[in-house]
Amino acid sequence: MSDQHDHPHHDHDHVPAPPEGGEDAGTQALADALKSSFAIVKVVMAGLVVLFLFSGFFKVDPQEKAVILRFGVPVGGGDGKLLNPGAHWAFPPPIDEVVRIPVGQLQNVDSTVGWYATTAANEAAGTEPPPGESLRPMQDGYLLTGDENIVHLRATLRYRIAEPGVRYMLDFASASNAVQSAFNNALLFAAARYKVDDALTRDQAGLREVARSRFEQLVVQYNLGITEIQIDNMQVIPPRQLKEAFARVTEAEVRRAKELNDARSYENQTISKARAEAESRKNLGEAERTRLVEFVAAEVERFTNNLPAWRANRELFTQQRQSEVLRIIYTNAQEKLVAPNRGPGTSREVRLQINRDPPKPKVLEQPKGDAH
């Protein structure tokens, strides 16, 4: 009995061994399966590598340049090698990053200061929200003028990225935001140097030029790397709460300008007329002077030519001149009265009866048939 308890019998301890041929077949099948799996994995991996490398091809569009950043550093040293338009290749992310630089494209930035609060729907519809009773500084934008008045102003900045454009893209987290901040600064600067009347009506072109000059200074100061700067679509309006008051002032300014223009026009016309009349009188005087000089010269020549005849026989010369004068007078006279000279010591009385009443016009007799 003790031997039975010390050496118990277990059936599962005696597993029969498989035949030698069956073990080799299973191992071979497993090896074949693993080999097939590895082949498939190799093909898949090769396909993934090819796909990975093929995804590195990219195209640079016209009016663009590009630079490759490898782990954040420009490839090519310095500012990197600029890639011209066309097909190129780079390692796919996260190894390389392609930064596109639109150097040939016109960029637009709108100002974000100086305009009242509105919505995209109002802008699209061409309407504006009600102005309210007073300006809301926390919501409405505004600019202060040089005479401490308030205006609303907005404008659009157009520019191009200067070649090569790498600094523009890499030196700023958002270059367009940096440009926009500088543009807002320029508008604030320009408004502070103008009086409200000049900014609203008289010299908006000058205001635009001051803003442009200030912005160009900031471009150089901050090395923004842009060029061909132009400010368009500038709008300057008074606070909407005082729109009617400013309209009356503007109307008065327009009337004042019209009166000044009319006065200047009348002044110019009067001066031109006076100058023309003075020139005409001067010309007439010159002509009269020339005629008189020529007449006097002719008389001098005539008297000079007649002087020898007068000296030779004064009485005959006098009679001849009298005869010439009488001939001219008798030629133009309607009635002639001749009283011959009887010589010295004689006298004659000549009486002329002149009717002082003007002659009455003759009345034509009308035919009897025409009498009424």
Side-chain angles (χ1 to χ4, degrees):
M1 294 294 294
S2 61
D3 294 337
Q4 293 178 356
H5 288 288
D6 292 339
H7 302 280
H9 177 73
H10 300 286
D11 294 337
H12 61 272
D13 289 340
H14 299 279
V15 179
E20 184 177 354
E23 181 179 2
D24 293 340
T27 303
Q28 185 65 34
L30 179 60
D32 293 340
L34 291 175
K35 186 177 181 180
S36 301
S37 300
F38 280 124
I40 296 175
V41 170
K42 288 180 180 181
V43 172
V44 172
M45 291 296 294
L48 291 176
V49 170
V50 172
L51 181 62
F52 176 78
L53 296 177
F54 184 78
S55 64
F57 285 99
F58 63 94
K59 181 181 179 182
V60 179
D61 294 333
Q63 296 186 339
E64 279 188 348
K65 296 285 183 71
V67 65
I68 298 175
L69 301 182
R70 183 161 296 164
F71 300 112
V73 179
V75 175
D79 290 340
K81 181 180 178 182
L82 287 177
L83 303 179
N84 294 320
H88 300 276
W89 182 87
F91 286 108
I95 301 175
D96 288 348
E97 178 185 359
V98 178
V99 178
R100 300 177 183 273
I101 307 172
V103 292
Q105 298 178 10
L106 187 65
Q107 308 293 319
N108 296 334
V109 168
D110 295 325
S111 61
T112 56
V113 296
W115 202 249
Y116 56 84
T118 185
T119 62
N122 292 130
E123 291 288 334
T127 60
E128 61 181 31
E133 296 182 358
S134 63
L135 186 70
R136 300 165 297 177
M138 298 300 295
Q139 299 180 14
D140 295 328
Y142 62 92
L143 299 180
L144 288 177
T145 61
D147 53 356
E148 299 180 355
N149 279 287
I150 291 176
V151 294
H152 294 302
L153 186 150
R154 67 177 176 182
T156 299
L157 176 71
R158 306 187 192 280
Y159 64 94
R160 296 183 191 274
I161 301 173
E163 295 278 0
V166 178
R167 296 298 91 195
Y168 176 87
M169 300 300 298
L170 301 183
D171 285 358
F172 304 94
S174 177
S176 61
N177 288 344
V179 172
Q180 188 177 62
S181 297
F183 184 40
N184 291 337
N185 182 305
L187 294 179
L188 290 167
F189 178 89
R193 278 152 181 78
Y194 269 78
K195 294 183 179 181
V196 63
D197 292 335
D198 296 335
L200 289 174
T201 58
R202 299 174 187 168
D203 195 12
Q204 290 192 10
L207 177 66
R208 181 186 294 106
E209 187 59 30
V210 172
R212 183 177 181 273
S213 177
R214 172 63 176 177
F215 180 75
E216 289 179 345
Q217 294 177 4
L218 296 176
V219 168
V220 175
Q221 180 179 347
Y222 298 145
N223 194 20
L224 294 178
I226 62 176
T227 186
E228 298 184 27
I229 298 165
Q230 183 178 354
I231 298 177
D232 293 332
N233 303 329
M234 177 177 285
Q235 291 179 266
V236 187
I237 64 172
R240 295 181 298 159
Q241 292 79 6
L242 302 175
K243 183 176 181 180
E244 295 182 359
F246 272 90
R248 290 194 295 269
V249 172
T250 302
E251 183 180 356
E253 288 289 338
V254 171
R255 288 200 305 270
R256 173 178 174 272
K258 182 178 181 302
E259 294 295 335
L260 288 175
N261 291 335
D262 292 343
R264 293 190 183 100
S265 177
Y266 177 74
E267 176 190 13
N268 294 334
Q269 291 177 1
T270 303
I271 292 176
S272 299
K273 182 179 179 181
R275 288 176 177 172
E277 185 175 354
E279 188 68 20
S280 175
R281 293 191 177 187
K282 181 180 178 181
N283 294 335
L284 289 175
E286 291 290 337
E288 182 64 20
R289 183 182 71 85
T290 302
R291 187 195 65 78
L292 183 59
V293 169
E294 292 176 352
F295 172 76
V296 171
E299 288 293 306
V300 170
E301 183 179 2
R302 186 170 67 85
F303 278 106
T304 302
N305 294 334
N306 292 331
L307 181 61
W310 179 78
R311 286 176 177 176
N313 192 339
R314 298 184 180 183
E315 183 176 355
L316 176 62
F317 182 83
T318 302
Q319 291 177 358
Q320 289 176 349
R321 299 288 82 74
Q322 288 178 349
S323 298
E324 291 178 2
V325 173
L326 290 175
R327 183 172 64 252
I328 295 173
I329 294 173
Y330 292 158
T331 300
N332 296 327
Q334 298 295 332
E335 297 179 358
K336 305 177 181 64
L337 298 175
V338 179
N341 188 7
R342 292 194 175 191
T346 61
S347 62
R348 173 180 291 180
E349 181 180 353
V350 179
R351 296 185 180 183
L352 299 176
Q353 185 176 1
I354 299 175
N355 187 6
R356 296 184 177 180
D357 296 332
K360 296 181 180 180
K362 296 181 179 181
V363 180
L364 298 177
E365 295 182 359
Q366 295 181 355
K368 296 181 180 181
D370 294 340
H372 294 284

